[in-house]
Amino acid sequence: NGKYIEKTRAKDLEYYRLKNGEAIPTLDEYLVQAKKSPETMLVFELKTHTTAKVETKAVKACIKTLKEHGLFTPDRVMFIAFSRHMCNEFARLAPGFTVQYLEKDANPDELVTYGINGIDTRYKVLLRDSVLFEAARRNNMSINTWTVDKADDIRKVIELGVDQITTDEPELARQLLKEMGVKEKVAR
């Protein structure tokens, strides 16, 4: 409803409801729930902020909160962002974690020099741009693709060999992985 979380006090969002009627969970509330599913890899997306200074502050606050909840481990958490600066900061402050850059200008050969070790892109881009996929693999990068909801498209990205699939149809994706003999990866 036009409210920017970065510019709005938490107490002013307290009564705001999502479309399904639920309150917006705080990061602490989310992480309490996440701890209840230790086999689930947390894909931690931090949205772009107004300045690099604010982005660095947000990255540090998120890492601090993950540590407080005992979830700051690369076996449970990976980071994604549309902001190159945030990805650079996650790579710098969380070595050993998967950090995936989401923007369409992803250049794996360049990203890897900053410690960014993954890309996360629309599935249609990935399916038509074999150079991007090959460059990511050449740089030992993790590859996620989004938002893949149709069975034929899910099959295509599985066949391509992506590492993660973002979908609104997780049960369909699991069924197809099983049918295709591909083992689903879970957090260790």
Side-chain angles (χ1 to χ4, degrees):
N1 289 347
K3 294 198 184 309
Y4 291 88
I5 291 177
E6 177 185 343
K7 298 177 182 181
T8 307
R9 296 177 306 174
K11 74 177 196 171
D12 293 335
L13 294 170
E14 197 171 288
Y15 299 104
Y16 181 81
R17 294 290 176 253
L18 301 172
K19 289 180 183 178
N20 66 1
E22 294 176 358
I24 300 171
T26 65
L27 179 55
D28 286 315
E29 291 168 339
Y30 172 76
L31 294 177
V32 165
Q33 290 301 311
K35 285 178 83 169
K36 295 177 182 178
S37 299
E39 72 286 350
T40 301
M41 174 62 95
L42 304 178
V43 179
F44 196 105
E45 180 178 356
L46 193 54
K47 297 296 186 181
T48 303
H49 290 60
T50 53
T51 68
K53 183 178 178 180
V54 174
E55 287 185 343
T56 297
K57 184 178 176 182
V59 167
K60 288 178 178 179
C62 290
I63 289 172
K64 179 179 181 271
T65 304
L66 284 164
K67 287 178 179 179
E68 289 168 353
H69 285 271
L71 290 168
F72 188 68
T73 173
D75 292 340
R76 283 296 310 278
V77 177
M78 62 186 291
F79 300 106
I80 65 174
F82 283 97
S83 162
R84 276 282 300 275
H85 178 75
M86 277 198 225
C87 285
N88 291 348
E89 288 296 278
F90 276 125
R92 182 177 69 85
L93 298 169
F97 282 74
T98 298
V99 178
Q100 293 180 333
Y101 180 55
L102 282 155
E103 271 299 353
K104 59 187 170 195
D105 67 341
N107 176 340
D109 295 323
E110 180 186 349
L111 294 173
V112 75
T113 65
Y114 294 98
I116 299 169
N117 56 10
I119 60 167
D120 191 338
T121 189
R122 290 179 178 90
Y123 75 96
K124 289 180 181 179
V125 170
L126 208 52
L127 291 174
R128 74 173 174 257
D129 188 354
S130 63
V131 173
L132 177 63
F133 185 89
E134 291 164 7
R137 283 296 182 235
R138 184 176 60 250
N139 285 290
N140 298 311
M141 292 183 139
S142 172
I143 301 172
N144 185 36
T145 190
W146 49 274
T147 299
V148 194
D149 293 334
K150 294 180 182 170
D152 287 343
D153 295 327
I154 294 171
R155 276 190 199 92
K156 288 176 186 173
V157 296
I158 292 170
E159 289 169 353
L160 186 61
V162 299
D163 299 299
Q164 299 93 22
I165 300 170
T166 300
T167 181
D168 293 326
E169 302 294 335
E171 294 308 318
L172 174 60
R174 284 188 171 109
Q175 174 191 335
L176 293 172
L177 285 166
K178 187 175 182 180
E179 286 175 12
M180 296 173 73
V182 178
K183 187 174 177 169
E184 183 179 353
K185 183 180 177 185
V186 295
R188 289 176 248 162

